[in-house]
Amino acid sequence: MSDRYVRQELFSAIGKEGQKKLSHTTVAIIGCGALGCTSANLLVRSGVNRVKIIDRDFIEESNLQRQTLFDEEDLRNNLPKAIAAQKKLQKINSSIIIEAAVTDINPSNIDTNLHNANIIIDGTDNFETRFLINDYCVKNDIPWIYGACIGSTGLTMTIIPGETPCLRCVMQDIPPFGNTETCDTAGILSPAASLIASIQVAEALKILTDNGASINRQLLKFDLWKNEITRLNINKLREINDCKACKNKQYEYLRNEKYSSTTSLCGRNAVQIAPANGSTIDLSALASRLRTAGNVSFNKYMLRLKVNDYELTAFPDGRTIIAGTDDVITAKGIYAKYIGM
């Protein structure tokens, strides 16, 4: 008998019975950035049966500061994040089934990628995907754990459909595109991301080992730089709010027309992204946020950002053209980094 998990089994809330339960579970992690890397690492070491990592992006040098599964060799090999993570994790625990999907989760493929998951962990970088995850999980009665980080601040909440408030109980709609900070405009501290991911995994272990009484039922906010911990009581929001997902079962984000549209522009090596939620962009405010990201110029008609090999042109009606690629997935990743989704 292997003693790989003996220290975890000695923890009475899990024990041998809980460890046995973990060995029959599947966890899906959407996004393999700072949160996803730490979550995947901890889950694989904990002895769950299967971990599925879903990410659309490739490794960049700036990722190495906080995305703990990647190294300089992965960067030289130009590997997708999901594949590099799979290779690393398989060396950590060869008895675990680790699946890698290099794809962009959307309404058309979410069921194919998540149908066998017992729980879903949010490692994404945008609200559009989170609202999609929320609708899917509420509809299919799958627990999921929200997590987000920016600068030194992190947020997390545990969502159990039918029991706790869902994300749309707390935030009825996606914030307007272009109005939220991103890691590429405001930065991020690695310890903040590691803290939030650790809490996400702890919550997953509670759920998967039937320790429901210990689940966090608040929205937790941490600021590691200011040494602040805030606990927001959200328990009554499910009763108070007329939630479209929980109460009305209107799963809007599972419909393609609610999702942002992407169009490859013929002959231009460029992709146009147009949000579906009627967002407009304040070009002046966006220019202020992007000053540290690259070369920015703007007037009342458009904003241009030149960064690395790409040029982003944003318009007040919410549209953005990303020049320098004709690949939709690459363009969406760049849009999420600098404009915010």
Side-chain angles (χ1 to χ4, degrees):
M1 177 68 70
S2 170
D3 63 357
R4 177 187 285 265
Y5 309 115
V6 65
R7 298 298 188 275
Q8 188 163 276
E9 290 175 355
L10 286 171
F11 181 63
S12 59
I14 293 181
K16 290 185 179 296
E17 188 60 33
Q19 192 64 49
K20 185 177 179 180
K21 291 175 182 177
L22 289 178
S23 70
H24 293 91
T25 58
T26 296
V27 182
I29 301 171
I30 303 181
C32 196
L35 294 176
C37 279
T38 300
S39 295
N41 190 4
L42 293 173
L43 284 164
V44 163
R45 293 178 186 274
S46 73
V48 297
N49 176 58
R50 184 190 305 263
V51 174
K52 186 163 191 175
I53 301 168
I54 304 161
D55 191 280
R56 66 189 177 193
D57 214 348
F58 282 72
I59 301 167
E60 299 176 348
E61 186 177 16
S62 63
N63 299 151
L64 302 183
Q65 167 253 350
R66 65 198 178 281
Q67 298 179 16
T68 53
L69 287 178
F70 310 135
D71 55 38
E72 293 177 355
E73 184 178 356
D74 298 325
L75 184 65
R76 287 192 295 270
N77 291 335
N78 196 30
L79 290 176
K81 290 182 180 181
I83 299 299
Q86 180 190 41
K87 291 177 179 293
K88 199 68 57 68
L89 293 167
Q90 209 69 78
K91 293 179 181 178
I92 292 170
N93 194 341
S94 60
S95 66
I96 299 294
I97 301 168
I98 302 169
E99 299 178 8
V102 183
T103 190
D104 180 42
I105 284 287
N106 59 61
S108 300
N109 67 15
I110 189 167
D111 188 59
T112 300
N113 282 284
L114 300 182
H115 73 277
N116 61 347
N118 298 109
I119 195 168
I120 295 165
I121 291 184
D122 168 25
T124 67
D125 59 2
N126 68 87
F127 281 106
E128 187 173 53
T129 306
R130 292 184 181 115
F131 273 58
L132 173 66
I133 295 169
N134 187 77
D135 274 8
Y136 181 81
C137 287
V138 172
K139 180 180 180 181
N140 293 284
D141 197 27
I142 301 172
W144 75 283
I145 303 159
Y146 161 74
C149 278
I150 193 77
S152 62
T153 302
L155 294 165
T156 184
M157 64 180 285
T158 301
I159 298 161
I160 303 175
E163 186 176 330
T164 70
C166 76
L167 185 61
R168 295 202 73 177
C169 294
V170 179
M171 300 175 60
Q172 294 185 19
D173 289 299
I174 292 176
F177 284 34
N179 287 359
T180 56
E181 292 281 13
T182 72
C183 294
D184 289 81
T185 61
I188 183 171
L189 288 182
S190 178
S194 295
L195 172 63
I196 295 302
S198 295
I199 294 171
Q200 288 179 287
V201 172
E203 291 297 296
L205 293 178
K206 294 173 190 177
I207 294 169
L208 295 174
T209 58
D210 294 330
N211 280 284
S214 299
I215 292 169
N216 167 50
R217 297 174 187 273
Q218 298 174 316
L219 176 61
L220 300 181
K221 179 180 179 181
F222 297 86
D223 190 323
L224 290 186
W225 207 253
K226 296 180 180 179
N227 304 305
E228 294 176 351
I229 302 174
T230 306
R231 303 172 184 271
L232 301 175
N233 190 341
I234 58 173
N235 290 332
K236 294 183 179 180
L237 291 182
R238 189 166 178 268
E239 301 172 12
I240 296 172
N241 292 339
D242 190 27
C243 177
K244 289 184 177 180
C246 283
K247 285 190 176 179
N248 297 304
K249 302 189 185 306
Q250 297 176 11
Y251 308 116
E252 298 176 315
Y253 289 90
L254 293 179
R255 303 198 305 265
N256 282 308
E257 61 267 24
K258 188 67 175 178
Y259 226 58
S260 59
S261 64
T262 55
T263 306
S264 293
L265 303 182
C266 183
R268 292 184 54 185
N269 192 32
V271 175
Q272 176 178 277
I273 297 178
N277 65 349
S279 288
T280 59
I281 295 179
D282 182 334
L283 297 183
S284 177
L286 181 60
S288 296
R289 287 204 298 109
L290 294 176
R291 292 294 183 196
T292 59
N295 184 12
V296 179
S297 62
F298 81 101
N299 55 34
K300 65 179 182 179
Y301 304 107
M302 68 177 67
L303 174 149
R304 281 200 172 127
L305 167 68
K306 294 183 179 180
V307 56
N308 300 323
D309 297 325
Y310 305 103
E311 182 178 85
L312 290 78
T313 304
F315 301 92
D317 65 0
R319 291 180 302 113
T320 299
I321 295 173
I322 295 95
T325 181
D326 59 5
D327 181 73
V328 168
I329 292 177
T330 299
K332 287 187 73 173
I334 295 166
Y335 185 97
K337 286 180 180 180
Y338 298 108
I339 307 298
M341 300 179 76

